[in-house]
Amino acid sequence: MDEQFPGKLSRRNVLRIMAASCAAAAGMALQAKPSEQSELSAQAETPIPYHPKFFTQEQMRTLDVLSEAIIPADEHSPGASAAKVSQYMDVIVSSGSSKEKTLWQDGIASLDRMAKRSGYEAFRHCSPPQRDLLLAQLSEQEGHLETTLARFFVAAKEATIDGYYTSAIGIHEDLQYRGNSYLLDFDGCTHDEHKS
Amino acid sequence: MHPRRTQKLDHKASAVCAQTRDNAEVKAAEQIFDVCVIGSGPAGGVLAKELAESGAKVSLVEAGRLARPREFHYHAWPYDFPDRAWSGPGYPPEVTESIRYEDSDITVDRIRVVGGRSIHWNAVCLRFAERDFKEKSTEGIEEDWPLTYKDLAPHYSYVEKMIGVTGSRENLDIVPDGEFLPPLKLRCSEEILKAACAKMGIRLIPTRKALLTQPYDDRPQCHYCGHCMRGCDVGAIFSVPVAVLPKAEKTGNFTLFENKLARELMIDASGSVRALAVVDTVTRHEQEIRARIFAVCCGAVEGPRLLLNSRPARYPDGIANSSGLVGRYLGGHAASNLLGYLEELEGTAPVNNDGALDHAFIPRFNHLDQKKRDFSGGYQYQMNYMGFMFPYQAKALKGYGKDFKKRVRELQPGFLHIATWGKVLARMENYVTVDRSRTDAYGIPIPVVHFKFGDNDRALIKEGVENAREMLHVAKCALVVDSDSRPVGLGSHETGTTRMGRDPRTSVLNGFCQSHDVKNLFVVSGSCFTTTPEKNPTHTIMALAVRTARYIASETKKVNT
């Protein structure tokens, strides 16, 4: 499922949302005709590129790599990059306080300095094993937020959690959340061993 | 089915306004209503309907507008919004901006919309127990109410039949049984907790809420989408616009004024209230709404704000305030959350657990033992109203990468939220006042909230959380996301700022929510509570509204005959 941010809504999604709104207003179910469906499918191939509101393209790349390292793709489901968590980070930081903005700006710079001190390139260019080594060090500081980098890592991790588990990928593919639907009845516990 | 149902409800709610909006201005200029009700939440909505049905000509004045059911974000997904949040309507910025907190431990959440908090509540409906009306006699604290459980019991029954309440008969003195629809079924996590509680001698029972588990009163049953607090699109949860106002409208005695913010109450030469001055929040037009009787139903912050902002020469400290207690004794609830992840459910297949948010409830039990405590009052537990979509455990787990992601996933099926809801002692030093040097966007002095939890509140919540932790321990958890036992409040349950009592020197209202000072002025909301037990307040607020309506109707009849 597409992630839906204002700047990167595919035409298909815009049409779908508009059509759904109109149908709801008219009290009718939404059903596209077959010819319209094929047209909509073709439009889905050309997503509109995302234009960051706050971060530079390089910073966006760093956040994309960092968030994917925190919640990576695995055999079960896609990761934070596919869920476009960096775009979520851009949205929330762009509307955040100047203090938050400074933390993210300084944090990204500190992360790159940390990588270079370890003899690597900037974080976004690090290999997966190099990123893993750096994150292991950062994760050790999760309980002691004394440095800008430690505070940034926790902020980035929390934003990754928020962004990923509120995305269609996180909700439907990873957690396989079954709710937010209409039921005729609620069965309650169906485990024989737990029923009272 | 659901868009049509929503449209039907939209129509139902809209009809209330459409028939009254056009002639409301004319009526206001020409008519003297029998009763003017200010605020359209559970108190004002029920009071207005009951009075209209008794034959009184009633005006219902609301600062907000009518929000149609489809305007709320039920059934939305977080990724439908740019910031991945549900930024619903109904919270105009001036509402939150116009409250000032002076060194307070709490936040006050308000909504200006037709139906007030009935639009976005969790609908828990618990009768107060007999002892809850007698704190002074029973526990030696606070004051006794000027009425008893027996006085209110028939009105509780009446409200239950009017709104539809799910529950089970348990024969517990601490939460008296009522007129219930079939109970909600427990989830596996709640069954496991129930078994753990049984080992500890604690009762866990199905919750009681104004939610339909079967069709009732021309409203459909719940479809278990788990969005109870975002506005119910089918009206399965009780709300004023869907379940009450159409009945009021049907009487032909009812006029709704939307977008009319109360500025002040105006008095006549005898000191009685003669009119309510309002400003239209859309047109900025100022007008007076005249009536023989006025009922302030704006809650425990806006209610005292209106009284304190009404300061004719005769009442320089505010109307109905000869006791000096308008705004005093601000109370409510202290709450604290624990999240457990049950070992028995770890890694099990995901199921749809949404239901109607909380299905289970643990009534107060600390009054049953003879243990000597350093606090008075009780606490209850409500669970699983945080919903099941978001994995809260993720922020409590250290680490990153595939192992981290897998652990989040494994823990998710065992999620169990348990919240301690504790009594807050009514104390004079917690209060609402107004700041005359600061006004809102309409030039009306803003309310100022002063609130600090006391030693009793902190000790009570501490014991409640310790017991919750023990329950989770007995139920066996792989992870407990701990709170630090600090209370947060007031859980949208503000009470006590125009309290009832027998003595006009120590209370604002008599036992019928009538001002001791100004006989044609009533105040009905959580603000009239003399004390507040651990139980949710809205059921009692509605029962008081019915009782007050009966009283007004009978007193009016006496005058007219």
Side-chain angles (χ1 to χ4, degrees):
Chain A
M1 221 176 284
D2 292 338
E3 303 308 314
Q4 297 177 1
F5 288 109
K8 64 178 187 55
L9 277 176
S10 68
R11 278 177 56 80
R12 183 185 65 157
N13 263 339
V14 171
L15 288 172
R16 184 169 62 80
I17 291 164
M18 286 172 64
S21 305
C22 294
M28 293 159 56
L30 171 64
Q31 262 191 335
K33 292 175 187 168
S35 60
E36 290 168 348
Q37 282 174 341
S38 58
E39 186 189 341
L40 294 178
S41 302
Q43 286 160 350
E45 303 305 317
T46 54
I48 300 168
Y50 180 75
H51 300 291
K53 296 170 189 295
F54 176 70
F55 293 115
T56 65
Q57 290 292 353
E58 282 187 351
Q59 289 171 326
M60 287 294 286
R61 177 71 189 137
T62 303
L63 294 177
D64 187 57
V65 169
L66 176 60
S67 62
E68 178 68 11
I70 294 168
I71 300 184
D74 60 10
E75 61 287 350
H76 181 81
S77 61
S81 180
K84 297 187 171 58
V85 165
S86 59
Q87 294 178 10
Y88 166 76
M89 290 167 161
D90 183 55
V91 169
I92 58 156
V93 176
S94 69
S95 61
S97 65
S98 56
K99 197 176 164 190
E100 283 174 87
K101 286 174 175 154
T102 304
L103 174 68
W104 283 73
Q105 297 272 26
D106 292 352
I108 291 170
S110 297
L111 185 62
D112 282 340
R113 281 198 297 275
M114 179 191 185
K116 286 174 183 170
R117 271 201 309 274
S118 303
Y120 312 145
E121 296 293 311
F123 184 79
R124 64 186 178 280
H125 298 307
C126 286
S127 66
Q130 288 172 341
R131 290 200 294 262
D132 212 40
L133 283 170
L134 294 171
L135 256 66
Q137 291 177 45
L138 288 171
S139 184
E140 277 174 18
Q141 298 173 45
E142 280 187 69
H144 323 278
L145 304 180
E146 282 153 19
T147 65
T148 297
L149 191 53
R151 287 193 293 276
F152 164 69
F153 176 71
V154 168
K157 180 177 167 183
E158 291 199 349
T160 301
I161 290 165
D162 286 335
Y164 182 74
Y165 292 112
T166 53
S167 73
I169 286 172
I171 292 169
H172 303 297
E173 294 188 53
D174 188 67
L175 293 176
Q176 298 184 14
Y177 169 72
R178 305 287 195 224
N180 197 17
S181 61
Y182 283 81
L183 300 179
L184 289 175
D185 199 4
F186 186 81
D187 292 334
C189 184
T190 54
H191 300 176
D192 288 340
E193 68 275 27
H194 295 129
K195 277 188 203 168
S196 57
Chain B
M1 180 185 104
H2 106 266
R4 263 197 293 278
R5 176 76 72 183
T6 304
Q7 193 182 39
K8 182 184 164 192
L9 288 185
D10 278 0
H11 175 74
K12 217 171 175 180
S14 303
V16 173
C17 285
Q19 291 175 30
T20 55
R21 191 186 296 121
D22 293 343
N23 58 8
E25 301 280 335
V26 177
K27 275 191 178 177
E30 293 175 352
Q31 191 171 350
I32 299 178
F33 293 94
D34 290 323
V35 187
C36 172
V37 178
I38 308 152
S40 67
V46 169
L47 183 65
K49 174 218 165 231
E50 291 300 313
L51 286 166
E53 285 180 342
S54 75
K57 296 290 181 192
V58 179
S59 58
L60 179 60
V61 182
E62 167 55 48
R65 66 181 174 86
L66 184 80
R68 287 160 181 80
R70 79 162 70 98
E71 290 179 63
F72 292 88
H73 294 307
Y74 53 85
H75 299 172
W77 296 97
Y79 50 80
D80 290 335
F81 302 90
D83 58 357
R84 304 271 177 94
W86 296 271
S87 39
Y91 294 89
E94 70 268 22
V95 173
T96 47
E97 285 169 6
S98 63
I99 301 176
R100 195 168 115 200
Y101 300 95
E102 293 288 353
D103 194 25
S104 285
D105 290 343
I106 57 162
T107 56
V108 177
D109 140 50
R110 293 185 305 170
I111 179 166
R112 277 189 178 154
V113 67
V114 173
R117 282 186 185 159
S118 76
I119 294 296
H120 75 139
W121 67 319
N122 193 27
V124 174
C125 282
L126 305 169
R127 292 186 181 204
F128 286 7
E130 195 160 349
R131 63 180 290 140
D132 295 333
F133 296 90
K134 299 177 181 173
E135 292 284 18
K136 192 168 191 176
S137 309
T138 312
E139 300 219 19
I141 53 168
E142 303 172 306
E143 294 288 339
D144 288 351
W145 289 47
L147 66 155
T148 65
Y149 175 73
K150 282 199 179 76
D151 293 324
L152 213 50
H155 305 299
Y156 276 132
S157 291
Y158 181 86
V159 169
E160 284 151 5
K161 287 177 193 161
M162 175 170 64
I163 67 179
V165 177
T166 175
S168 57
R169 299 186 73 83
E170 303 285 344
N171 200 26
L172 291 166
D173 290 343
I174 199 67
V175 270
D177 292 333
E179 320 286 336
F180 297 133
L181 299 174
L184 287 158
K185 294 169 191 161
L186 301 187
R187 305 171 179 94
C188 289
S189 61
E190 291 150 351
E191 292 281 14
I192 292 168
L193 186 67
K194 184 180 176 182
C197 286
K199 286 181 196 167
M200 299 168 68
I202 294 168
R203 288 278 293 276
L204 180 151
I205 64 174
T207 198
R208 297 170 179 181
K209 47 201 281 190
L211 173 131
L212 304 184
T213 48
Q214 62 187 34
Y216 189 81
D217 192 28
D218 198 28
R219 290 159 49 207
Q221 73 179 67
C222 177
H223 56 265
Y224 307 104
C225 72
H227 286 264
C228 305
M229 283 192 273
R230 293 194 185 98
C232 180
D233 57 336
V234 301
I237 272 199
F238 168 81
S239 78
V240 167
V242 168
V244 166
L245 297 191
K247 290 177 180 169
E249 180 64 31
K250 208 178 278 179
T251 64
N253 295 327
F254 175 75
T255 306
L256 174 68
F257 292 90
E258 286 178 85
N259 299 319
K260 299 287 188 289
L261 181 59
R263 184 179 290 285
E264 63 179 308
L265 293 160
M266 322 286 283
I267 63 164
D268 61 19
S270 71
S272 297
V273 184
R274 65 168 183 81
L276 172 71
V278 298
V279 54
D280 188 301
T281 57
V282 178
T283 65
R284 302 267 172 165
H285 176 64
E286 304 268 351
Q287 68 180 96
E288 288 183 7
I289 297 169
R290 294 181 290 163
R292 294 179 183 86
I293 292 171
F294 291 79
V296 176
C297 303
C298 319
V301 175
E302 290 292 288
R305 178 196 189 188
L306 176 59
L307 300 181
L308 294 170
N309 276 334
S310 304
R311 295 191 307 144
R314 186 173 183 140
Y315 305 119
D317 298 323
I319 198 163
N321 196 23
S322 66
S323 64
L325 295 179
V326 168
R328 293 282 172 180
Y329 295 100
L330 173 64
H333 286 128
S336 189
N337 294 304
L338 277 181
L339 309 182
Y341 292 85
L342 296 163
E343 282 178 9
E344 283 191 58
L345 297 176
E346 189 177 319
T348 55
V351 296
N352 182 354
N353 265 327
D354 280 4
L357 295 180
D358 46 346
H359 288 200
F361 161 66
I362 298 173
R364 176 181 180 183
F365 51 78
N366 74 332
H367 62 296
L368 297 171
D369 62 39
Q370 301 304 313
K371 195 175 149 188
K372 194 167 160 41
R373 292 178 163 83
D374 56 354
F375 66 87
S376 298
Y379 45 84
Q380 47 133 325
Y381 300 96
Q382 295 179 21
M383 53 211 74
N384 286 331
Y385 58 80
M386 283 170 68
F388 293 83
M389 192 186 292
F390 189 81
Y392 300 99
Q393 70 276 21
K395 290 190 183 177
L397 293 173
K398 294 231 168 23
Y400 63 95
K402 288 183 180 178
D403 291 345
F404 169 80
K405 187 183 175 194
K406 183 165 173 265
R407 190 68 187 136
V408 172
R409 202 163 54 233
E410 286 169 346
L411 288 169
Q412 183 69 359
F415 173 64
L416 174 66
H417 161 221
I418 179 165
T420 309
W421 284 76
K423 174 186 177 65
V424 168
L425 218 56
R427 294 187 299 135
M428 194 173 170
E429 54 266 41
N430 287 328
Y431 66 102
V432 176
T433 185
V434 291
D435 183 345
R436 300 195 197 292
S437 68
R438 287 187 59 198
T439 57
D440 65 11
Y442 309 97
I444 305 171
I446 64 168
V448 181
V449 176
H450 297 254
F451 184 91
K452 286 283 185 190
F453 286 112
D455 292 343
N456 196 85
D457 309 328
R458 280 188 287 271
L460 182 150
I461 278 291
K462 185 167 178 282
E463 181 182 293
V465 173
E466 280 167 3
N467 278 323
R469 195 174 289 123
E470 179 62 16
M471 289 175 207
L472 290 177
H473 175 72
V474 174
K476 293 189 180 133
C477 285
L479 173 72
V480 174
V481 180
D482 224 346
S483 81
D484 58 6
S485 305
R486 278 188 311 177
V488 294
L490 294 167
S492 295
H493 295 172
E494 301 87 37
T495 56
T497 50
T498 57
R499 70 180 190 170
M500 291 190 286
R502 294 184 199 284
D503 186 345
R505 291 167 303 176
T506 57
S507 60
V508 177
L509 309 170
N510 67 20
F512 291 97
C513 301
Q514 181 181 31
S515 162
H516 288 302
D517 303 344
V518 182
K519 295 300 177 194
N520 75 334
L521 177 63
F522 291 77
V523 182
V524 187
S525 72
S527 67
C528 54
F529 287 13
T530 309
T531 58
T532 308
E534 75 287 355
K535 300 173 186 76
N536 303 44
T538 307
H539 193 10
T540 300
I541 291 171
M542 289 191 279
L544 286 171
V546 172
R547 186 168 186 263
T548 302
R550 301 278 183 277
Y551 177 76
I552 291 173
S554 72
E555 291 299 297
T556 309
K557 206 172 169 187
K558 276 187 214 162
V559 172
N560 292 340
T561 51

